[in-house]
Amino acid sequence: MHPGRLYEAKFFAKNLREQATTAQAIPSIAPSQAIKYFYKTECFCFRPQHFKALEGRDLVVRFIVDPRLPINVDRLTLAYSMYSVPDIREASG
């Protein structure tokens, strides 16, 4: 990767349940010192994701790594944990 450029990554997520569910993605970046140099411009983690029963799909994140990233950081790992959350669409209807 070249710091300062816009990149896109796709993560595949699948609902393993036999009923619909809504999940919220929580990101983590390693090493932790790189967090302040990693900027997401678009991310599925910005809002809950609704999945039908057994549905799987690619989820997109677009990001830029700040050119001021310390030179000793030569590798970044972006990961997500998905947690079930109440479906606001159902709660408001």
Side-chain angles (χ1 to χ4, degrees), residues 19-91:
Q19 71 259 10
T21 191
T22 300
Q24 179 67 53
I26 307 297
S28 66
I29 298 171
S32 61
Q33 73 184 81
I35 292 171
K36 63 183 178 180
Y37 301 98
F38 191 88
Y39 304 105
K40 294 184 293 287
T41 61
E42 179 182 334
C43 185
F44 59 93
C45 64
F46 292 163
R47 62 188 177 286
Q49 301 293 316
H50 184 75
F51 290 88
K52 296 175 184 172
L54 304 173
E55 177 187 10
R57 67 174 180 272
D58 286 331
L59 301 172
V60 175
V61 58
R62 290 188 176 93
F63 61 92
I64 298 170
V65 176
D66 191 313
R68 294 175 291 180
L69 179 72
I71 197 161
N72 66 318
V73 178
D74 65 349
R75 190 172 308 212
L76 295 175
T77 300
L78 174 63
Y80 289 90
S81 297
M82 300 285 280
Y83 297 94
S84 294
V85 295
D87 189 347
I88 296 171
R89 298 177 309 165
E90 293 175 7

